[in-house]
Amino acid sequence: MDGVPRVPEQRRAGSSAEPAALSFGVLGPVRARRGAEQIGTGSPQQRALLAALLLREGRTATAGELIDAVWGEEPPSQALAALRTYASRLRKVLDPGVLVSESGGYAVRGLGDGALDLAVAQELAAEAEKARGAGDLCHAREVLGRALALWDGEALAGVPGPYAEAQRVRLEEWRLTLLESRLDMDLEQGCHAEAVSELTALTAEHPLRERLRELLMLALYRSGRQAEALAVYADTRRLLADELGVDPRPGLRELQQRILQADPTLAESSAPQAEPAATPVRPAQLPATVPDFTGRAAFVHELSEVLSSAEGRVMAVSALAGIGGVGKTTLAVHVAHQARTAFPDGQLYVDLQGAGSRAAEPETVLGSFLRALGTADSAIPDSLEERSALYRSVLDGRRVLVLLDNARDAAQVRPLLPGTEGCAALVTSRVRMVDLAGAHLVDLDVMSPDEALQLFTKIVGEERVASEREAALDVVAACGFLPLAIRIAASRLAARRTWTVSVLSAKLADERRRLDELQAGDLAVKATFELGYGALEPAQARAFRLLGLADGPDISLAAAAAVLGLPVEETENLLESLVDTSLLESAAPGRYRYHDLVRLYARACAERDEWPPNERDAAMSRLLDFYLATAAAVYLIERPGDRLVDHLATPEYPGLTFDDRHAAQDWLYSEAVSLLACVRQSAHPGMLRRAVDVLWAAIDLAESGANSREYETVAVALCAAARVAEDAYAEVRALITLAYAHSLIGRFDLADKEAGRARELTDSSHDALAGCWSSNVGGAIAAYQNRHEDAEAHFTRAIEHFRVLGDRPGEASALCNLSRVHLATGRAESAVTLARQGTAMYDDMGHDLKGANGRYALGLALAQSGKLAQATECLQQALGVFRDSRQRLWEGMTVFRLAELDLKDRRPAQAASNAETALTLLRGIGGEWRRGNVLTVLGRALNGIGQLDRAQVCWREALDIFESLGAPEAAEARSLLTPTQVA
């Protein structure tokens, strides 16, 4: 890397590693350590001598050079004596032979590998450059990050003398170069949004460094913030003109023009995977390859590599597994044709009919193979063992490829394997052949959306698809990207010239009829699945049917055990056996999923075969109970003593228990999508109240921000179901969750409407806890809408009701919320008192997460009271808990509040960095109102560090947001903009 400071390896000849080796640091304060023990390096001048020797790469420095390095042009009269004293003192604390006298000067010798942090940084930087040159950006970024982490503040900190000052400048320049290189790779890997915060802080710290400005412009542009990117250029041009009287360098000007022109090459690009070279096709027993073979480039390459390695090996065997219709045979035949020239002595093929009831017998297959290889009928023995032995003998010295299609299991395949050097076998099966020794196993999945669309287009024709691309994408998605289903759908369309793609899409949209639509001639998706289902044992078939009832994208082992009503161990055995048949997929350890069309088939089987019919409802009821019991356990471990769990429905099926809150959080967030799908699926009488209670107990999914919109959608569905069922008890609870979800997303008008409806229903629902919550949530919404008198009334009522119920966590929540109202109405002192009271209650009960909410409120109150240090401490404590609890919404809002404190404390650069981080954390969550507030603060911070144009862009965007919402904050944003920009 150009300009890298170099320190060569410094070794003591013949030395061996010592337990307590010396090490030195210059990328920060000059330090020396023996093992983990720090060694005193003396006065600043003594450290200057040590630094000068360490940085001279093991070369001798004369006394005159060292005097100049330590004192410069005006050394003291006794400089030489002082130099010798410093050297003597260093010798006493360092190992013998490290600091040596030579030719009237000194040198540091005999250091081991990694003894000097600068040398380690150089090696890491070189390794990163090599990895980047080889295209391994992930490794390059990681290694460069390790190099940068070696800096501990300013290099040679506190070391006097002109030499140290020159080295400080050089090392800082190198550090910035490394940092720019790492940021450049961040952008190459698509981490542009995350880089904006860091680059904003760096440009504030190094305002004249144009490369950082260039990277910031590119990061903002790739984050969809074109106006801000251009504003960075305007700020830079003005700053350079004011400070240096120069224009930006050509590269920066060119980037500005490319952004103005929306140059598509500025977007990240990924190199397409090279297609493997085609192999000339020669005739043999192989079936014809399909003319419209599409995609599968990675699999073709992988299998071709295995086959090409057959020469010189005893035998190369590849076994492809996958569900029926996934294209195993098509892929295997295609690969076999490509590999034919590598097997000049022939290619054998057989359909072993393993998916049907009459699988081919190995003896019969061997007889056919032996005849094809030139063996007379009279020479073919009768027994399987003799035929297999003769088969291997005939293949000895030949190079033959054997394609064993549609195998039942490994036992059927073993006698048919060549077993001789130069031969290879390709096996396809619905079963993963883990017991086939030495086989290269390949699990074939469905096509990618692009591959699926290409196949559909090849069959239907470019002209028909081009005019209805969206409908074509809907068709291949309805086919689950399964090649057989796509081929059937496309063939039906190709045979009906009067149909449009949209007509076919509409037919496939009905899930109950989709499998019936996917048949053409002797091809049918349902018939393919029927073969696999018909081969299952009764317990496997029951598991296959019932697990298909659940709506989630996948299901955990514990949840599957609940559906089946079986112990976890027995359930795991059943599920793994279904995975082996390819009717079920293992999404991750302990998680399982169906292909979309297989799920539809499983449900059809459940409706047709499950007896008694109410077992289907019982299975889903057990699943809902499992989620209710486990979500309640998660809620309680986060909020010890909270009374909510006492007011939930009592599940009949048990859930999981957890040793700590981290395990509980892991479960909740990993299960979120499946849990919400089950709740929505249960929105009908008989399960509705339990479904609402699951949603209430899983309220962390709304608060985290990660699942806020999905949570809101499910809450809407439950409200509608409760209204239709005229179930006031379920409706008021569903309305509370919906109002809270709306408020977290920033839809305050909708939230207020639902909270009002909840309060109206409270009396008729006879639900005391719902009454408390509706007042507390209603107060929070009123506070957001600046209706402070209403908010105070709601919170006061909530506090009274929570006290009657003995719900101390609820009371603490309402107290902290009331603190926010006092704060907004100018009662800072009472706001602090209320927040302290609520936070103390949380702490007494051991509520880490809710205690963080209390500290958030307390931090705001302390800030308005002018106690900025205490406020910062409270917010930092809250931030640590929110981050640890994966509450991204609250993490983002807390960082935003820290940015506000930074502004109050006149730290605009830190405020800009925190505001950028808050924008990144709140991307896609929290709603536009919160985003507008963050943009306003970011603009103020940018204005404070002289980036005026970019600040105006932020305020303009904030103004647009607030005006679209009719929010009063628009007035502040409008006042920050110049009159010409508002007009």
Side-chain angles (χ1 to χ4, degrees), residues 195-267:
V196 169
S197 174
E198 186 175 1
L199 283 164
T200 296
L202 285 168
T203 53
E205 187 179 353
H206 307 279
L208 298 177
R209 198 169 181 91
E210 293 182 68
R211 178 56 179 156
L212 290 174
R213 299 270 183 159
E214 183 178 349
L215 290 170
L216 177 57
M217 288 173 65
L218 188 57
L220 287 167
Y221 178 75
R222 288 182 176 174
S223 301
R225 298 159 69 176
Q226 181 180 8
E228 283 187 68
L230 293 171
V232 170
Y233 178 81
D235 286 330
T236 305
R237 183 178 59 184
R238 185 183 59 256
L239 180 67
L240 291 173
D242 292 346
E243 297 291 329
L244 305 176
V246 298
D247 290 327
R249 60 188 177 84
L252 204 59
R253 295 200 300 270
E254 179 186 351
L255 178 59
Q256 183 224 17
Q257 290 302 311
R258 293 173 69 192
I259 291 174
L260 285 170
Q261 297 162 7
D263 185 347
T265 62
L266 285 179

Side-chain angles (χ1 to χ4, degrees), residues 120-132:
V120 175
Q122 291 163 355
E123 292 172 3
L124 291 172
E127 182 181 346
E129 184 178 27
K130 182 178 179 181
R132 187 176 187 180

Side-chain angles (χ1 to χ4, degrees), residues 456 460 464-465 488-501 504:
F456 184 78
V460 173
R464 295 178 76 181
V465 174
I488 292 172
S491 299
R492 291 189 68 197
L493 183 61
R496 291 163 174 80
R497 304 304 301 177
T498 58
W499 282 15
T500 62
V501 182
L504 178 61

Side-chain angles (χ1 to χ4, degrees), residues 440-454:
H440 174 75
L441 303 181
V442 176
D443 293 320
L444 192 58
D445 202 352
V446 296
M447 288 181 149
S448 69
D450 286 343
E451 289 176 336
L453 185 61
Q454 289 173 27

Side-chain angles (χ1 to χ4, degrees), residues 279 312 347 364 475 562 575 625 800 828 957:
T279 305
Q347 303 87 39
T364 305
V475 168
L575 268 56
D625 275 352
E800 293 170 356
E957 187 176 349

Side-chain angles (χ1 to χ4, degrees), residues 283-300:
Q285 276 196 353
L286 296 175
T289 187
V290 293
D292 50 22
F293 183 85
T294 303
R296 307 296 202 188
F299 289 111
V300 171

Side-chain angles (χ1 to χ4, degrees), residues 809-875:
E811 180 186 348
S813 171
L815 286 168
C816 291
N817 287 336
L818 183 59
S819 163
R820 301 280 296 277
V821 177
H822 280 227
L823 195 63
T825 51
R827 293 172 283 173
E829 186 175 343
S830 59
V832 170
T833 301
L834 288 167
R836 286 194 191 280
Q837 186 179 349
T839 304
M841 292 175 69
Y842 281 136
D843 290 345
D844 288 344
M845 292 179 284
H847 279 220
D848 290 339
L849 180 56
K850 299 308 291 182
N853 289 119
R855 283 175 176 78
Y856 178 88
L858 179 57
L860 299 185
L862 289 168
Q864 193 155 319
S865 301
K867 300 173 182 176
L868 301 187
Q870 294 180 44
T872 300
E873 182 180 1
C874 280
L875 290 176

Side-chain angles (χ1 to χ4, degrees), residues 680-695:
R680 183 165 187 170
Q681 192 176 4
S682 305
H684 54 78
M687 299 173 75
L688 179 58
R689 290 192 176 187
R690 281 181 292 156
V692 172
D693 282 355
V694 174
L695 196 65

